[in-house]
Structures are given as C-alpha cells and as structure tokens.
C-alpha cells in the first residue's frame, strides 16, 4: 500500500496506475469461501465454489494490502472489472484545480464507508474511528460490475491488519495494533501532526482549531489521492475535457501492488466509470497480482523483488 501519484490510462493499452496497493462479501454478488457441511440427512447441495482471488496483508507489511490469485489465469483473461469509487479533478500543476476533498465530502455515507474500508489512510485523515473503518473492509469488492458477478473473493483482512496501516496506531512487541493513549477529539483528530498540541496558540480566534483541522484533513486527503489515483484521459472521465486532469480511485484495483516493467503480470484498462484488470501472461495459482505504475511518479520507490537489493 505504498507508491505515488496518478498514472495515465491509455486507450486499450496497459495504462500505468498511480499507486500500489496496495478487501469479503461484496454486494451479495461476491461470496466468501466457506467450508460448512450440510446437516446430516439434509438434501445434498453442491459445495461452495473455490475462491478466485484472495485479499490479505502482505507478508511485508510495508507493502500493505495485496491481491493473490487462487486459480490459474490465462494470458488476456479478465480477472475482474469494477466501477469507480471516487473521481476528482487533479491538475498536474499545484496551482490548478484539485478538488478531491470536496468530492470526498459529497459522497454518500455508504460510499465514504466503502472508501474507508479500502484506504485506512483516508479514514485516518478524516478522523474516522479506526475500528469503524476496519468494519467496512468487507466492502472492498462492493463495486464489482455484473461482468464479475461470479467472482469469488476470499477476504483475509482482519481488523488488526486494517488498523496497523493507519499512522495513528502503534504496534506492540507482539505485532498487535495498539490504540494511541489519547483518544482524538475533533474532525481530523489529534493524529494529524499533533494538531491539538497547538491549541493554546490557536485559541485567539473562535473556531480556529476546527479550521486548522479541516485544512489538515484536506491536505492529507489530497496526499492520499495523489498516491492512489489513476489518471484518466479526457474521454474516460465524467466531466468535459479541459485543462484539468480527471483521476479516479477503485476499491479493489488500488490494492494491487507495483512491479517494474517486465515483472508485472497484469495490466489495467479504464473506460468511462469502470476499470478492468487483465492478465498480461499466464498466471499460476498462488501468484500475487501485480501491475506496473507510472515511471514518472514523484517520490515513488519500488519495494518489489524487482528492485530489492540482493
């Protein structure tokens, strides 16, 4: 779940996603793997279909959440397709329009909840309780399209996995997430760079603490979007083409980690309101799903085996 900035999506050509990522039952169409046997004497029912994909915390927590295939996929086969979770204007220039915070605040409560389930950093940035956000992790596949209705996802993420990805939760000697000693008290909460340690200097003007909290929430939400969003071409965005750049995040696709060119096994193909993940080569059961992020991503450092120093 590391990586950086928005990537260009080419017309039918493997687009370069913007960020790695790097979650159980999904809208009734995606089922979790179960092993319950029917009661004795009951009519026999076919066993549940084995899962196709598995979502879990990477063996290296620094890589965050990840996606694995549990069955083989052939070259060119579609792993899944999902709808956009959030689209916003993200101008290439810092002085341009960057309205992701406003777009996030305009989303329905259920859509925001789904976003928190996939992105612990976003939940932290906006003062969402860690346990509340972790409970939404079963919504990771809730935007899969009917094309993927037969997909079975084995979601292995635990609340502990979700919480340990947040900056405001520490880890004890047993690798168990530990709640910070001070319970946050305002919208962006004390986790945002010790905001409330500065209360004394801010009491001179009424509401200044809340204003500063919102400012920091806005900045952190923008930082999150810059890391995770896929940049869309004008013809693939919801708004009219112009000088600004539309970009979007996806609940499941954004959990896929990066590998450098030649090492990835999948590519993404974006269309209006949807994105599909396609196999670039034959993929064996048990392999991690990987895609290649944009090479010009600022401050991005590949943590895959392709770049790990021997």
């Amino acid at each position: 779940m590391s990586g950086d900035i928005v990537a260009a999506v080419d017309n039918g050509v493997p687009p370069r996603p913007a960020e790695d990522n790097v979650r159980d039952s999904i809208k009734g169409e995606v089922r979790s793997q179960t092993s319950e046997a029917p009661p004795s004497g009951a009519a026999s029912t076919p066993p549940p279909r084995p899962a196709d994909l598995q979502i879990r915390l990477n063996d290296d927590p620094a890589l965050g959440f990840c996606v694995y295939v549990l069955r083989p996929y052939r070259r060119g086969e579609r792993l899944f397709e999902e709808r956009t979770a959030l689209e916003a204007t993200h101008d290439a220039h810092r002085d341009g329009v960057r309205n992701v915070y406003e777009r996030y605040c305009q989303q329905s409560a259920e859509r925001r909840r789904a976003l928190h389930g996939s992105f612990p950093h976003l939940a932290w940035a906006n003062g969402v309780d860690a346990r509340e956000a972790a409970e939404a992790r079963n919504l990771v596949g809730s935007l899969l399209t009917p094309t993927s209705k037969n997909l079975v996802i084995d979601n292995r993420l635990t609340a502990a996995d979700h919480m340990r990805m947040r900056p405001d939760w520490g880890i004890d000697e047993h690798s168990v997430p530990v709640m910070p000693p001070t319970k946050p008290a305002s919208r962006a909460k004390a986790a945002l760079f010790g905001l409330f340690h500065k209360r004394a200097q801010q009491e001179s003007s009424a509401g200044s603490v809340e204003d500063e909290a919102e400012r920091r929430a806005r900045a952190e939400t923008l930082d999150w979007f810059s890391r995770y969003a896929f940049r869309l071409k004008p013809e693939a965005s919801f708004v009219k083409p112009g000088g600004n750049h539309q970009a979007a995040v996806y609940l499941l696709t954004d959990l896929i980690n990066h590998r450098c060119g030649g090492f990835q096994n999948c590519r993404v193909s974006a269309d209006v309101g949807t994105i599909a993940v396609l196999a670039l080569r034959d993929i064996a059961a048990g392999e991690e799903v990987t895609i290649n992020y944009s090479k010009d991503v600022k401050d991005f450092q590949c943590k895959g085996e392709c770049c790990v120093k021997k």
Side-chain angles (χ1 to χ4, degrees):
M1 196 165 60
S2 56
D4 254 88
I5 207 109
V6 289
V9 175
D10 293 322
N11 235 352
V13 184
R16 302 297 231 222
E19 162 43 81
D20 105 346
N21 255 333
V22 156
R23 299 205 169 288
D24 218 315
S25 121
I26 287 101
K27 245 194 174 175
E29 295 177 344
V30 180
R31 300 150 291 165
S32 293
Q33 205 172 7
T34 61
S35 57
E36 294 183 6
S40 177
S44 61
T45 57
R49 203 187 119 201
D52 301 282
L53 302 176
Q54 184 180 85
I55 306 170
R56 69 190 199 212
L57 182 69
N58 201 291
D59 293 336
D60 177 3
L63 294 176
F65 303 151
C66 56
V67 181
Y68 280 79
V69 297
L70 298 182
R71 70 166 179 86
Y73 282 85
R74 298 185 304 276
R75 178 182 179 181
E77 188 174 356
R78 184 188 301 258
L79 277 68
F80 64 86
E81 179 182 86
E82 68 173 326
R83 296 187 296 278
T84 303
L86 175 65
E87 181 177 338
T89 303
H90 190 90
D91 198 282
H93 304 287
R94 290 189 177 275
D95 293 335
V97 177
R98 295 186 172 188
N99 64 353
V100 63
Y101 183 70
E102 288 78 10
R103 296 286 294 123
Y104 163 77
C105 293
Q106 290 167 5
Q107 301 299 302
S108 67
E110 186 62 16
R111 178 60 63 85
R112 288 199 303 271
R113 183 168 176 264
L115 285 164
H116 301 154
S118 284
F119 304 106
H121 186 101
L122 176 66
W124 163 75
N126 288 277
V128 178
D129 180 78
R131 292 189 178 89
E132 177 186 332
E135 288 174 358
R137 64 191 182 278
N138 66 328
L139 297 175
V140 170
S142 60
L143 295 180
L144 289 175
T145 68
T147 303
S148 306
K149 66 180 180 180
N150 293 322
L151 184 73
V152 181
I153 295 180
D154 178 18
N155 193 325
R156 293 298 179 91
L157 292 179
T158 66
D161 292 337
H162 201 274
M163 293 174 188
R164 74 186 300 172
M165 293 296 103
R166 291 171 54 116
D168 58 337
W169 282 67
I171 304 295
D172 68 10
E173 66 273 15
H174 304 294
S175 298
V176 176
V178 179
M179 188 173 71
T182 303
K183 192 69 176 175
S186 186
R187 176 174 169 72
K189 311 232 172 167
L192 294 176
F193 301 102
L195 171 63
F196 293 96
H197 291 272
K198 302 176 183 179
R199 184 184 296 273
Q201 293 97 331
Q202 297 173 335
E203 285 181 345
S204 55
S205 59
S208 61
V209 172
E210 276 298 324
D211 292 342
E212 177 68 5
E214 182 170 333
R215 186 188 70 79
R216 292 185 180 275
R218 180 186 297 272
E220 287 295 332
T221 300
L222 176 61
D223 178 67
W224 158 78
F225 194 72
S226 297
R227 293 182 179 188
Y228 285 90
F230 290 73
R231 181 173 292 154
L232 305 173
K233 282 195 166 185
E235 62 268 23
S237 64
F238 297 142
V239 300
K240 294 180 180 179
N244 298 314
H245 299 282
Q246 291 302 114
V249 291
Y250 307 88
L251 301 181
L252 179 55
T253 305
D254 271 298
L255 305 188
I256 298 176
N257 282 317
H258 164 83
R259 292 297 182 276
C260 295
F263 290 89
Q264 77 276 24
N265 54 27
C266 288
R267 69 178 179 89
V268 297
S269 177
D271 203 344
V272 177
T274 64
I275 196 167
V277 177
L278 309 170
L280 273 176
R281 59 168 174 80
D282 291 348
I283 306 175
E287 281 192 61
E288 182 181 0
V289 180
T290 56
I291 51 182
N292 182 259
Y293 297 166
S294 176
K295 288 290 187 180
D296 59 357
V297 173
K298 213 173 184 181
D299 302 325
F300 171 71
Q301 181 179 5
C302 175
K303 297 182 180 179
E305 64 275 6
C306 50
C307 288
V308 173
K309 293 182 179 179
K310 306 295 182 184

